[in-house]
Amino acid sequence: MKKIFKTINFTILASSLLFMGSCKDFLDTNTSVDTEEGTALSSAGQLQMVLTSAYRQLYFNDQGGDRVYAGLPGLQMYVDLGGADIVSHTNMGGNQVDTYKYEASRTQTTGTSDAIWTMMYKIINQTNKIIHAIPAAQGDQATKNQILGQAKAIRGICYFHLIQNYQQTYMIAKQKKGVILRLDPKEDINLPRATVQQVYDQILVDLGDAKKLLNGFDRADKWTINEDIVSGQLARVYLVMNNWQGALTEATSVYNKYNKLMTRDQYRSGFDDAISNAYPEVVWAMKFTATNNLGGGTQFNFWYNQDEKYGEGYTDGPIYAFLDFFADGQYEKLFEKTEDRYQFWKRTKNANKEWSTKWAYDKYKHYGDANGAVQGNTRPEVTLMRGSEMLLIMAEAAAHLNNGMGLTYLNRLQAARGVKNLTTAAAGQNLLEAIYVERRKELLCEGVTGLYDLLRLQKPLVRIQETPSYVEGHYTWGMSNLDGYDPKSPNPTGTLPSNDYRFICQIPQLEMTRNTALKEADQNPFKGQGQ
Amino acid sequence: MSEKTKLFFALTLVASSGYAFGVHAMPNTANTIEYKVTQQEITGRVSDKNGPIVGASVSVKGSAIATYTDQQGRFKLSKLNPGSIIVVSYVGYGSKEVKYEGQSNLSISLDATSTDLDEVMVVAYGTTKKSTFTGSATVVKKEQLEKIGGSGFAETLQGMSPGVNVTNNEGNPGGDSRIQIRGISSMSGSSNPLYVVDGMPYDGQLTSIAPSDIESITVLKDAAASSLYGSRAANGVIVITTKKGKSAKPTLNFKSAWGTSDNAIGNPTKATPEEQLLNTWEGMYNDQFYRYNRTSKEAGDWASANVLGKLLKKSSAGVYVSPFKDINENYVLHDGNGNAYINPKLQKIWNESDYDYYGAVFSRKLRQEYNLDVSGTAGDGKTNYFLSSNYLDDKGYAMNQYFKRYGFRANVTSQVTDWLQLGGNMSFSSSRQNLSGASRALDFSTTLTSPWLRNADNTDWVYSEKTGRRMYDYGTYGNNFFGIHVLNNGGDYWDNPNDEGFTNNQRNMISARYFAGIKLPYNLNFKSSISIDNNVYKEFTYGSAVHGPGQQAPYGTSVLTSGGSAGRVNNETRAVTFNNILTWEQDFGTHHLSALAGQESYTRNVVGDNGYGEGIMQLGQYELTSTTTNWSVGSYKDRYALLSYLAKVDYNYDDKYFASVSFRRDGSSRFHPNNRWGNFLSGGLSWKISKENFLKEATWLDNLSFRSSYGTTGNDRLIQRQLNGVAGGEFLYAYQAYYSADNLYGLPGLNPKTVAAPDLQWERNKQFNVAADFAFLKRFYGTIEYYSRNSSDLLFYKEFPLSAQAGAANGQNMNLGNLQNSGFEFSLGADIFRKDHFNWKVDGNLSTLKNEVTYLPSGAFTFNNRGAGYRLEEGHSLYDFYMVKNAGVNPDNGNMQYWVKDDKGGWKISEDYVGEVTSDDYQWIGSALPKVYGSLTNSFKVHGLDFSFMFYYSLGGKMYDYSYSERSTLRGGVGVTQELVQDRWRKPGDHALLPKWSDDNYASTRRASDFYIFDNDYVRLRNITLGYSIPKSTLQRLGLANVRFFVSADNLLTFGSAKNRYTEPETGLSGNNYNGNADTDNGRQGARRIYTGGLQVTF
């Protein structure tokens, strides 16, 4: 017995000693699925992966909001829903309807003023990590330059979207508070708003650096940012800054490489296969795939765009058609019925008058992967920059420079689209107005006209509501938050005055409360015209 | 680790656990224990003035020998040393100590008492007598638990203990309950306590333990009671003790119960098809007449002409498919003055059940439960055993949901020799759960359509060619289809003839506990225990390949274009606890001293994998193998570890003054090696004032004692608080910086996930408790208690300013902010009648809770969750509503009005919500957390009948009734509850509750405001039970010990205003009932009424 007793005791003691011997290891644990930060920032190969993830955020923002906040393809809808040319039904409620209605969702507390802010800063801070780590990282200089160039380009693009949404346009707001300039992952998390001028200076530095670093970089895909995309982006920035020569130079350099414009058949077949069909005028495009897919939330599904033969229900066709977006009646009037871009028809078989009275429009149609059978998956390719846009930038810049080429460029596009009555105004406001109309006609829902053009050109938003005699106008909910709207007038019209702060987002509440460098006085007004 | 350090650790262990002493002292003293004394066998009998007491506990003080009296009140003990103290105790009686002086036969009589002070209760790492305990704890016994017909013990705890707030907000069988012990002490709102089963921490689903296996549950509430569990006790501890063998004769116990269930709050009734047409017409008319200034006639004509198209779309046969036979004229007519009526020519051709969505989802189904156990002792009480098996099959109320569980348990403890005790407890639990239930589609459906598919000319239903059952209609004829069908997910992984989608899970859990207790000289005892909880979880999901939008003829056998999808989640959790505890106990005259020291290690390993694929084209196949496209897979392993040292000293002078001190040191793998260790200390005092001489004369006073404690517990569980205020995921590697995989187009990507936090350290929970226990006139008893818990250095995932976030790394783990929870707890009881054949007992408890953020260095902020607005600010609770206040409906135009600030700092009324309401106008509305809750129980015994009922109440909380906002607003695709919308504005001058309906702009008629916040006071008849036991005299002839028939009902009645809105009052933590429950957003129904009846037989 004594022996047994001893044995038991010693066994337990020995086992606990053994166990204690490894106690330091015992409390050390590690994740089995993630990479330690030191490794992730150590080499060009690893930083390329951080960059790939930044691209994913840029195109999908799948950690953030959905629909209009789903990366650049979603933001295209946001920009254009804020204009006058799209009519949005409430059938599929959500942030695209709020955007259309000018709900008070751009305010700091009640809305989604954080959505664009967060989307862009998450990408910016990720590129900051790359930009900060690349000098000391392992790897050959050429590869490092390509990574750095793309990171800077992405940062510049993100700041450009931010500044357009969080302050009035550059020409009237240079010294106003812009957005927060974060350029270094190590700096204080509490930073004030930089001026609009400072933000644009940084955008030009980033895009300028990127252009140099990406010189000669041969990209493998349309979604990878190269020198051409950077130039096109610079042209867009110069347009806002009214640097007409800069805009003309950059746009021309891109257009010269992407000047074979889409044919009538290509244009009318929808934009869904812009990459696969290798349209030569496509400078920049991304795609939805089986592995990276938020395709169901893209404009391909929001437009009521499928052929009538599929039926009028949202589940009848080859994809989910959310029966949401239509073209406005005023917009339809801008087109000649014979031109290539005339893709409007009314859905007269639909029992619901809210739908049957509006113009369906199929510039965007994507019939999914089911070959026309009902309810396939939507995995479209989305165009982010085209030669046509460059041509229109050239026209606008040339018109301002008054070098005689403005009309030529405009007519070149009009002719390519089968327009019969070409613009004749050779210069001045009439020409500029014609170019603006052409931009709307050519670029609807490509994320460059709509809200952005209204701000840039300091134009008011004007919407005309449907009435019994004008059924194809805006829905009442698209009007009720606008000024001057009287539902009882014969032609109910609503406007947002030019430079109204309702176009602009307020600084998000969680930025205001968490960032100690911001005071209440730093907030944008919610409404009222900026000076 | 260097050799030197190893040696140091070894020595530390030896010293701290007292091993050195044990090992060296043993050889000299073992003999004396083993052989010195003479031992005898004795028998005895325990009785009260009415006769023998069955099942009284008989034990020998200072040893592990214990037995229970048999049916004749007899017991037998052997090998007893003269001078041993025999302790006899029985619930409801004072315990008695008898010194054994060599008698061969003992007769012991017990006196009934109203208190259970001498009762032994299970506490941290041991047991104690209630009278000597300085901490705060509540014991819930099996008799109380057995009455409730839930799936697990957690839901049965509701109302059983003051200070413990249990919310059963998932009514699906097998659903989880939310348990809060003395408030919420974390910023995330998470409040899960530590569960300990038979002395070892338990890692498993709460519903994996069959309530019938439980002997008692002790809830440890304050620091003195729980701080021996150190870091794991921040949210309190629930100690579960399973049943053990008691009597020498094997006892066979059989219980079966059958029943059914429905919703505790009845389902609402949707507007009839006629009402739905008229409702929509009214909204359309209002828009045309009031907003667009048309004449009454024009507005009416327009509404009549368009109302059908608003609700329905024409079928391919060119008719409107609805409950009515289509006529070629307007369904709704009007008198030209804004009054509409149904066209008398309309003829209804469907039955009411064809468009009764609630009826389609809900039906009463069988619930059955069987328990069989055998228990007893052998070897003169030296070995006790308990073997049980049980089966539960609860089919719930909604659709195809169910929870089935098989449970087996074996508990054996054996006193092998005088100095060695071995014991083990092994249980296996296997459960299956089907999670189909109620979804938000129940709101988003109108009676003008049917859950079932109709043919295009509205003459017959469309039947599946596979099963002959009606097909479901996915918005074929109705506008505004929600996208999800009310009967979505009605299939089952194991039995799915109709190829419907499903979500099922299966859990298999083995829970093993084993210990060895060794008696050492000098009154020392050593106990070494190990436990392994192995929990295997599998989840099976299937998206139907047959049913869904886009389904095609031939129905039931043709597969959707993209096919079906299948998913599988597997994970296996293995938690291992190993502890070694040395205890010592010694009397020095009237001084009694006991001490405990020990060491414990804990690891939890989880390995998991999951797979998903789409494109199942095969009928009747639900495995990943059948998927053809869009695969995704994942796998992971996680490990968490904790290392602890603990010690405790209890002192008692003359059973009058008590003091205890405890200490625990914990090291956690969640913190950086430099900040890994935390020390937690607590102390308690108690004074039994009724034992003082000056109260000797007061014979009416049975007991009066005061106790108080103070101490700290810690917390290392870091749970993210999401933007909407709801608890998110847990950080296992809290101090480390990581990037996670984030691939694009097949290219590898890395996305920032976490930010390094090397300074992160333990969260501290300082707890103070003061209490008075009293009993008088042998009839009344109770406890009054006050507590205050101050949680500081709260572990918080502090989010950065939005502009400083990268990838998923939104912020950094840190210690930030303080929270205070405080409250009073009253528990009072009375034996109103205690006669031989009539007993009436009343027990009540009441708890108050004040939850307050006391320090928030990151600054106050507002947040919202599904319409409800809140603000987190110092001086307010974690979930205080903060919204604009509504000012009623304007009688002139029917618009809702709101209180907004005017220019002078006063208040004015505005109708312009969009333009004028800003966060400046928000006001504090109140907290979602109840201020007072508790229960009242009445128990009666009349001859063989027993009857009891328990009311549970919760007062002072508020709720945001999202469901009500949906059921009371006219909106495309939503069928309102007609009786809730009668009081609405219809014409100028109406003083109405609800604003003017609009069809164009429903949102303007239901803006988020305090309009949807309601006082959520409620009282529930939690349980009512009636039982009848056949008289013992009759049973003895049959050889049975006990036969009892019973009927019981849970949640039979609910009182409170929520019920009037068809709303379940038990909400998620944040008080929002979006989809039934905003915190889990699971679309499941609220609490159920469960009716059961059954039979209990003991042989």
Side-chain angles (χ1 to χ4, degrees), chain A residues 255 259-265 267 281 336 338-341 388 391-392 395 406-424 434 438 441-442:
Chain A
Y255 176 74
N259 56 11
K260 194 161 173 255
L261 303 183
M262 289 164 83
T263 64
R264 178 189 171 91
D265 286 347
Y267 202 100
E281 74 157 295
E336 295 170 6
T338 52
E339 69 175 79
D340 298 354
R341 295 173 299 198
S388 298
L391 190 54
L392 284 162
L407 183 61
T408 311
Y409 294 144
L410 176 62
N411 288 163
R412 188 182 297 171
L413 179 69
Q414 289 174 328
R417 294 289 175 249
V419 175
K420 298 229 170 64
N421 295 313
L422 300 182
T423 302
T424 53
E438 204 61 44
K441 290 171 67 179
E442 176 67 23

Side-chain angles (χ1 to χ4, degrees), chain A residues 12 122 354 374 476 509 511, chain B residues 19 292 310 561 803 807 810 862:
Chain A
I12 298 173
K122 275 179 185 287
E354 284 180 357
V374 291
T476 52
Q509 185 207 4
E511 187 69 39
Chain B
Y19 258 120
Y292 310 136
K310 195 82 192 172
T561 305
S803 66
N810 299 337
T862 61

